[in-house]
Each structure stands twice: as C-alpha cells, then as structure tokens.
Amino acid sequence: MTDVVMPQMGESIVEGTLTRWLKKPGDRVERDEPLFEISTDKVDTEIPSPSEGVLSEVLVQEGATVAINAVVARIGDGAKAAEPPKEQAAAVRPTEAPAARPAEAPAVRPAEAPAEPTVQPEAKAAAPAAPATAPPSAAPTEQAETTSEQGPLSPLVRKMAREYNIDLARVKGTGEGGRITKQDVEAYMSSQAARTYESAAPAPAAAAQAQAAPLPLAESAKTRTEPMSTMRQKIAEHMVMSKRTSAHVTTVHRVDMTKIAKLRDRSKAEFQARNGFSLTFLPFMTAAAGEALRAFPIFNASLDGKNIIYHRDINIGIAVALEGGLIVPVIRNADEKNVAGLQRAIVDLATRARSRQLKPDEVQGGTFSITNFGSFGSIFATPVINQPQVAILGMGAVEKVPAVVEGDAIAIRSQAHLALTFDHRLIDGALADQFCQKVKAILEGWSANIL
C-alpha cells in the first residue's frame, strides 16, 4: 500500500487546496499519471501518482485544504476492493466559504457548492407566490466529463469550467474534432450573461415590488461578483506577508543594452535554427545576475530570526505569468549555465508552468528571483520580494532611445531599466547600488559567445 501525500510547492507553503480528483476509488493508475489537482499561491497544477496500482482510498474530498505531507489517498495492488472514503484527518480543514447574504450571493464553484440545489434569486423576486423556476442555463448541474464529442479538454478549459460551474456538455466546441477551446467557454459565458440580464427585467405587474426590493448585487447590470480563485487568495496572502516581513526598498538603474541587442540580432536566426526556440534578453540578465551574486553573496542569502543564512548554490527563480496568477519556477545552479543553457531552462520551465506540468521541487529552493515585466512593455516597476529571499531583480523593456554618448554626441541606443527591490533589514542602499552597477557593467561590456 502506497500513501499519496500533499506535496510542498515552495518553502513558504504549509498547505494546499485539493481542487479536483482525476481518478476515483477503484480506478487503475499508472506511475506518474495525473492523480489530482491542487492550488496554492505558488502553483495551480496536477499531481502525478507516486506508484502504479489501484486507487483504494480517497481520504480528502475536493475543496478541502490540506497540510503538506498529509496523506490524501492510498494506492494498493488491487487485491482488495476499494473502500469508501474515510473521514478527513486532523491535518485537513474544510475550505472556508464566506457567509453569503441573500442580496450579495457570490457565484459558487463546484468545490464549494451547497448540499441542496439553490433557486435563482430572480425567480424568487419575480413571482414569490408561484413555483420558482430557474432559467435552464442557471440550473445547477454536474460538470461534464471529457467525452469523445467534446474532444480532449485543456487544463485551462477544465479550470474555467470548475471555477464558473459550467456544464461543458452545453458548450459547443469549435476546435479541431469538436474540441472545446477557451474562446468557446468565453462565448458561452457571454451568451448566458445576456440571457440572465434579459430575465432580470421585472414584469410590469411586479414593477412596484421590484422598486421596493432593490435588485440583488449579483444580478446588477453594472456589477458582477465572483469569489477569488484559491490561487489568487494564496498570492494575496503571500504578498501581504512579504510586505509585512521585509523592509522593501527599490533602486532603479538604467543600463545600455546596445551591445547585447546587436549581438542578439546577428545571432537570433542561427540560434533559433540550432535550438528550436528564440533568443530573448532574459538569459543575458540571468547570467549577469548569477555573476553578480557570486561577487555579492549577501543577495543570495535569507534571514532566520537574527541569523543570516548564506546559500552556496545560486538558484534563480524566474517569474512566469499564468492565467489568473503567477509562479516562480527555479533554475538551479544558474551561475554555471551559459546563455543558451539559461534560455533553454527558461523556455522549458515557462512552457511546463503554463501546462501545469511542473514538479514540486521545481518551485522551491530558490535563493534569488528575477521578474521580466518588460515583456509586457513596462519601463520599470517595484517588484515584491519572494520570501524568504532578500532581493528580487526586475527588468524593464529594452527600447531604442536617444542618448548622450562620449563627446556629448546624441546617438540611438538600446536601453532598459533595472529595478532591484531589497530587504533593508539586511541590505543597505549603497550595497544595493553596487550590486546593480555590477550587473550593469556585465551587460554593457558583454563579449561572451552565445552560440
């Protein structure tokens, strides 16, 4: 019998929410086959089975918040019949659902649905004396499983269906082979919103009553209320905790990226042909940061009470934007990789992060973080420290701008802004500026080969 435990998805994570079981008791599972989905402030992903066999017990129900390393299920060899789920262990606490007022009832996700079917508010308001009949689109339904007619469902489509309580059997797929796409789900939601708005208009006979009883917030044409996703809640908690823990200060430096921009332009076609992916500015920044961290090891440290912990390995986390959140997968021993190796690692981690295929150890162990907000056109920002680290480096967009060069001449240069946020409890401004100047000098004097 093999215990299936809730993995730790980052150093600061002590619990996770089990959002969905992908197998049920009695099902055969293979090793590394997706078994269940979890959501934390670090990751919203599928967890693979630790062994092959038969799922004999499910100890934690969907929607429950579970402490890390708590046993959530057991996998046997199939010799014994699957037992009914046992009551949740003490390490599990039910997900707290906010008490909804009748006039402000938020949309309910499947994991938080009440035991009894609910009646739509507009049905009650429009005809209190007659039997209330909800519009067909609003009737609570079980989320449809993937069928041959729908085709394979992407993790994003499954997530949208789960969070918005959408019956995928009602959604017409326009993808290849009838596959349901994100656009199909959004179109279905828009059509349902329009129908809900039309049904919310009070009949003439009930106009006086409608004026006496204000339209509920959930039905208002000017507002829409929905609960935050578990991932969004966890991110919010983590950001507030970070600001409460560290004394945040940000210093901004301008760097001339002209040499690297020209080198990249000359090499990107050959680089793409040789490696199968494009070359960006981010691996150059990561390489420069790795070298600067060797020169200033305090930026690769963390605080434990009144003790400073210096980490020998330089493990750089790269922020990746996701649908509805972000994640920071880690490049281990980043200082030992060249530009091509760093670009390969960045592409691999970002691709698997967006397809929910990251492993637990790939989102923990980071000692320093980099966020490339310039990829969305931002000039500079003030990033928040990724606890328990003591600094994070942000990179703004690389832009061609007029600049004063030697001899007071004006020339067009490729420039970017670096924003270093540091923990002022441990690092002073002068040291932070020296670190940035080291990164700046490496980038402006770049001469290493990238092929």
Side-chain angles (χ1 to χ4, degrees):
M1 189 73 69
T2 302
D3 288 342
V4 181
V5 301
M6 172 63 69
Q8 182 172 13
M9 305 298 283
E11 299 93 338
S12 60
I13 302 301
V14 298
E15 62 186 17
T17 300
L18 196 156
T19 55
R20 184 186 180 197
W21 281 104
L22 304 177
K23 296 289 184 178
K24 56 181 180 295
D27 284 354
R28 179 80 185 175
V29 294
E30 301 298 327
R31 181 181 177 86
D32 295 328
E33 182 181 7
L35 185 58
F36 60 97
E37 296 177 354
I38 68 169
S39 183
T40 72
D41 67 332
K42 294 289 187 183
V43 66
D44 185 3
T45 190
E46 297 174 347
I47 303 301
S49 172
S51 64
E52 64 174 333
V54 173
L55 183 60
S56 59
E57 293 182 282
V58 170
L59 305 179
V60 174
Q61 302 304 309
E62 294 180 353
T65 300
V66 186
I68 59 170
N69 298 322
V71 178
V72 299
R74 292 191 175 94
I75 296 175
D77 56 10
K80 296 173 66 177
E83 300 176 9
K86 296 182 178 179
E87 293 194 4
Q88 296 176 6
V92 181
R93 61 178 177 84
T95 301
E96 296 178 359
R101 297 193 298 260
E104 299 181 340
V108 181
R109 294 189 296 172
E112 301 168 348
E116 295 295 329
T118 58
V119 179
Q120 291 299 310
E122 67 265 25
K124 288 186 177 182
T133 303
S137 61
T141 59
E142 293 293 329
Q143 179 174 322
E145 296 293 328
T146 303
T147 67
S148 58
E149 296 179 354
Q150 294 172 347
L153 299 178
S154 69
L156 175 57
V157 168
R158 293 201 307 269
K159 179 181 179 182
M160 293 174 70
R162 183 173 67 248
E163 292 190 351
Y164 297 104
N165 198 17
I166 297 173
D167 182 357
L168 292 177
R170 299 176 179 269
V171 181
K172 179 177 176 57
T174 60
E176 184 178 356
R179 181 173 62 87
I180 296 175
T181 66
K182 172 189 174 185
Q183 290 74 21
D184 295 332
V185 178
E186 290 175 340
Y188 174 81
M189 293 171 64
S190 297
S191 66
Q192 297 305 105
R195 293 178 60 181
T196 300
Y197 174 73
E198 292 173 359
S199 65
Q209 181 179 353
Q211 292 177 358
L215 193 65
L217 180 61
E219 299 175 31
S220 172
K222 296 183 178 180
T223 62
R224 180 169 64 89
T225 303
E226 66 180 41
M228 294 171 67
S229 67
T230 301
M231 188 180 196
R232 191 76 257 166
Q233 293 178 46
K234 296 298 183 181
I235 291 174
E237 294 171 3
H238 193 62
M239 293 299 99
V240 172
M241 181 271 289
S242 181
K243 296 289 283 188
R244 186 172 59 243
T245 300
S246 299
H248 283 62
V249 177
T250 301
T251 181
V252 179
H253 289 246
R254 185 170 52 221
V255 58
D256 191 330
M257 298 286 288
T258 304
K259 276 191 176 182
I260 291 177
K262 291 181 177 179
L263 178 62
R264 176 173 171 267
D265 288 340
R266 292 195 304 266
S267 308
K268 61 183 180 181
E270 184 179 351
F271 187 93
Q272 173 80 41
R274 178 178 297 185
N275 297 284
F277 47 81
S278 60
L279 178 63
T280 67
F281 289 105
L282 186 55
F284 295 94
M285 182 65 63
T286 306
E291 186 173 338
L293 288 170
R294 286 199 301 269
F296 297 89
I298 197 167
F299 288 86
N300 199 53
S302 59
L303 281 175
D304 181 13
K306 296 182 178 180
N307 298 319
I308 304 173
I309 301 174
Y310 291 91
H311 303 285
R312 292 187 175 90
D313 293 338
I314 295 177
N315 301 330
I316 297 180
I318 304 295
V320 176
L322 302 177
E323 185 77 20
L326 59 87
I327 191 172
V328 188
V330 176
I331 302 176
R332 299 190 179 280
N333 303 118
D335 59 318
E336 299 176 3
K337 293 178 170 61
N338 60 15
V339 168
L342 289 169
Q343 183 71 79
R344 181 176 293 104
I346 291 168
V347 170
D348 173 62
L349 289 172
T351 300
R352 289 191 293 111
R354 295 186 178 110
S355 61
R356 302 162 60 125
Q357 298 299 320
L358 288 176
K359 299 179 178 65
D361 61 351
E362 291 175 325
V363 291
Q364 55 185 325
T367 57
F368 185 84
S369 293
I370 294 177
T371 177
N372 181 21
F373 41 77
S375 60
F376 295 99
S378 174
I379 304 302
F380 68 85
T382 55
V384 177
I385 296 170
N386 186 17
Q387 299 295 327
Q389 299 166 20
V390 295
I392 180 171
L393 180 64
M395 177 182 180
V398 178
E399 296 183 314
K400 287 187 176 181
V401 296
V404 178
V405 296
E406 293 182 6
D408 293 336
I410 303 295
I412 301 300
R413 310 294 289 181
S414 295
Q415 292 187 350
H417 290 82
L418 307 182
L420 177 73
T421 298
F422 56 94
D423 189 342
H424 210 343
R425 297 178 303 167
L426 181 63
I427 300 169
D428 293 327
L431 192 59
D433 290 335
Q434 291 175 46
F435 178 88
C436 287
Q437 286 298 316
K438 178 67 174 178
V439 173
K440 175 183 170 77
I442 295 169
L443 293 172
E444 292 184 343
W446 191 276
S447 60
N449 186 19
I450 60 176
L451 295 174

